[in-house]
Amino acid sequence: EPEFSLTGHTREVTGMAISPDDKRIASGAYDNMIIIWNLEEQRQEFSLSGHTAELTCVKFSPDGKSLASGAYDNMIKIWNLGEQREEFSLSGHTAAVKDVVFTLDGRKLISGSDDSTIKVWDLAKRCEEYTLSGHTAELTSVVLTPDGKKLLSAGYDSTIKLWDLQERREEFSLVGHIGIIWGIAISPDSKRVVSVSDGSIKVWSMEGQYEEFSFSGQTGTAWCVNITPDGKKVVFGSYDKTLRVWNLEEQREEYALTGHGGEVYCMAISSDGKRVISGGGDQRILVWDIIHMTPKEYRQFIMAFRSEGRISNVGRSKPPFSVLNLGFLHSAVYCENIPMLSNIFQQWRERDYYQPLKCDCTGLNPIETAAAFKNGKLLKRLLRYVTTLPIGYIEQPGRTF
């Protein structure tokens, strides 16, 4: 389940961005509105209006003080977030603006449009600097490489192009999709590009300029894609109302995030990699915690205890753990003879999700034991899930938190 949801738009949410400090969210929607949200306080701060057609994209400037937006009115607008107003507009595209991205220094903006062109704008002069042409159909995505020197673009012509921004020319194209490419993302080390199209998700080698592999198992259209800051996972939003998380190295799906009531059109990942924010056809914005134990890990955790016969009466009996009577969760940390559990808790130890108990927990039930952990919220989430299972192995079955 998501951490929480945000509501305020009256039509599909199609653009999503997180501020550089991870404190704000900007969303754009088909209701022609932009809403700025306070992520920490889980509330709307203010809204911005000015576009005369549906929004397609929003992006924060590198300093977080400005926002750029594109829409079906063919316009790009730059917003002053401190003063909560439009600063100026950029006109030049002859069709909808589908994506925008700031350069690393914040001095320029790059846009991709349904007119099949990419434009680079000088924000100080408030004018177009130059145009990149080469695509033969509408653009859907423009993504800057991590070093800021090059640009990736993709769209309806089923190709991904890499552009040298200094020399203002195309370097090469990646061809392999047979449908529209709806989204692209580049890994933090710039070695891989992930693209989503109608029914296919491909991973490309930037150095070798070839397709490395495709993710299998996806049916239908994925609308958006992103890569976690550590480069290990790919997250994409789909027509089936889910976000799916794939392990990039192991080339497999890890789990799906369910909660949207409509197709997932857009998403963003926080700079610390802890959260995914998504928007879609249900007009809602959902905030997901992807660092804490995943739904699949929940199930593995429970199944491991079931298979070992250590479910019943935990907290009252003396299960054969290395450390006895410390309670259900903390005892599991020392259960080194179950590789899966050891792996899960090793990850928790490495990420500082808990600290060793500082009190004598002999005889305490799991709920009381959880209170002694550093990250009580995480463990309460686990316990909340556990209480939904048809096995009465905690002191108060069915209790919610």
Side-chain angles (χ1 to χ4, degrees):
E1 295 182 357
E3 271 192 82
F4 57 90
S5 64
L6 299 168
T7 57
H9 285 293
T10 58
R11 286 196 64 189
E12 302 97 313
V13 179
T14 51
M16 186 68 61
I18 305 178
S19 63
D21 61 6
D22 292 334
K23 293 182 179 180
R24 278 176 163 178
I25 303 170
S27 60
Y30 271 19
D31 58 9
N32 304 4
M33 297 292 295
I34 298 168
I35 297 180
I36 306 299
W37 310 84
N38 187 304
L39 188 56
E40 295 179 335
E41 298 178 11
Q42 303 179 21
R43 64 174 178 84
Q44 177 178 330
E45 285 192 11
F46 56 89
S47 61
L48 300 167
S49 60
H51 281 288
T52 58
E54 297 92 335
L55 268 292
T56 60
C57 54
V58 289
K59 292 289 171 59
F60 281 96
S61 61
D63 62 8
K65 296 180 180 179
S66 300
L67 187 81
S69 60
Y72 275 96
D73 58 8
N74 308 349
M75 300 294 291
I76 299 166
K77 291 185 180 293
I78 306 298
W79 307 86
N80 184 315
L81 297 180
E83 298 179 11
Q84 303 180 20
R85 63 173 179 83
E86 178 184 334
E87 200 159 323
F88 58 90
S89 295
L90 299 169
S91 62
H93 282 296
T94 58
V97 178
K98 287 296 184 66
D99 202 7
V100 293
V101 61
F102 283 92
T103 55
L104 297 186
D105 59 10
R107 296 178 180 178
K108 297 178 182 181
L109 187 77
I110 305 170
S111 58
S113 169
D114 274 356
D115 63 14
S116 77
T117 69
I118 298 165
K119 292 185 182 293
V120 180
W121 308 84
D122 186 314
L123 295 180
K125 297 179 180 179
R126 303 184 180 184
C127 67
E128 178 186 333
E129 188 171 311
Y130 60 92
T131 297
L132 297 171
S133 299
H135 281 284
T136 59
E138 297 97 317
L139 272 293
T140 58
S141 300
V142 288
V143 176
L144 205 64
T145 57
D147 62 8
K149 297 179 180 179
K150 299 179 181 181
L151 182 81
L152 286 159
S153 61
Y156 279 53
D157 60 6
S158 307
T159 65
I160 301 168
K161 293 183 181 294
L162 181 71
W163 306 85
D164 187 312
L165 295 177
Q166 294 178 331
E167 298 185 12
R168 303 183 182 184
R169 65 174 179 85
E170 178 186 335
E171 283 199 8
F172 60 81
S173 294
L174 299 172
V175 181
H177 283 292
I178 59 174
I180 299 168
I181 299 174
W182 295 108
I184 52 176
I186 188 168
S187 61
D189 59 9
S190 297
K191 292 182 178 180
R192 283 173 162 170
V193 171
V194 180
S195 55
V196 295
S197 182
D198 294 328
S200 65
I201 301 166
K202 295 183 182 295
V203 179
W204 309 82
S205 168
M206 287 290 285
E207 295 175 342
Q209 302 175 29
Y210 64 89
E211 179 187 332
E212 284 192 43
F213 58 90
S214 294
F215 287 128
S216 60
Q218 167 66 12
T219 58
T221 300
W223 295 113
C224 53
V225 64
N226 216 321
I227 299 175
T228 55
D230 61 9
K232 295 180 179 180
K233 296 180 180 181
V234 176
V235 185
F236 63 87
S238 178
Y239 85 104
D240 64 3
K241 308 175 186 179
T242 69
L243 290 106
R244 297 183 181 273
V245 181
W246 288 71
N247 186 303
L248 191 55
E249 295 303 320
E250 298 178 12
Q251 302 179 24
R252 64 176 177 83
E253 181 181 331
E254 291 196 347
Y255 55 91
L257 300 172
T258 59
H260 274 291
E263 299 181 40
V264 181
Y265 293 129
C266 57
M267 71 156 145
I269 299 178
S270 60
S271 61
D272 58 13
K274 293 180 179 180
R275 282 171 161 169
V276 171
I277 292 88
S278 59
D282 60 2
Q283 305 171 14
R284 296 190 303 156
I285 296 163
L286 300 185
V287 180
W288 309 86
D289 179 345
I290 62 168
I291 290 296
H292 292 166
M293 185 178 282
T294 68
K296 183 170 288 187
E297 287 174 328
Y298 280 136
R299 293 192 293 272
Q300 290 175 333
F301 190 97
I302 300 307
M303 291 306 297
F305 272 89
R306 281 176 169 168
S307 65
E308 293 293 322
R310 294 171 180 168
I311 291 292
S312 300
N313 299 318
V314 172
R316 293 183 178 181
S317 62
K318 294 184 178 182
F321 296 125
S322 301
V323 178
L324 302 180
N325 286 334
L326 290 185
F328 167 62
L329 292 166
H330 193 262
S331 296
V333 176
Y334 298 94
C335 190
E336 302 299 333
N337 62 324
I338 304 180
M340 188 281 302
L341 290 177
S342 298
N343 179 59
I344 288 176
F345 282 99
Q346 178 62 31
Q347 293 179 26
W348 287 10
R349 287 194 289 271
E350 291 174 353
R351 296 172 182 173
D352 195 30
Y353 285 167
Y354 85 139
Q355 61 186 5
L357 298 178
K358 294 182 178 180
C359 60
D360 181 7
C361 292
T362 302
L364 296 185
N365 64 35
I367 297 171
E368 294 167 326
T369 302
F373 277 69
K374 180 178 180 180
N375 194 330
K377 180 179 179 181
L378 169 63
L379 298 178
K380 285 183 178 181
R381 285 180 59 200
L382 174 59
L383 285 171
R384 184 170 64 242
Y385 177 84
V386 165
T387 60
T388 67
L389 298 174
I391 299 177
Y393 65 95
I394 66 170
E395 298 291 324
Q396 295 171 293
R399 177 172 177 175
T400 59
F401 297 86

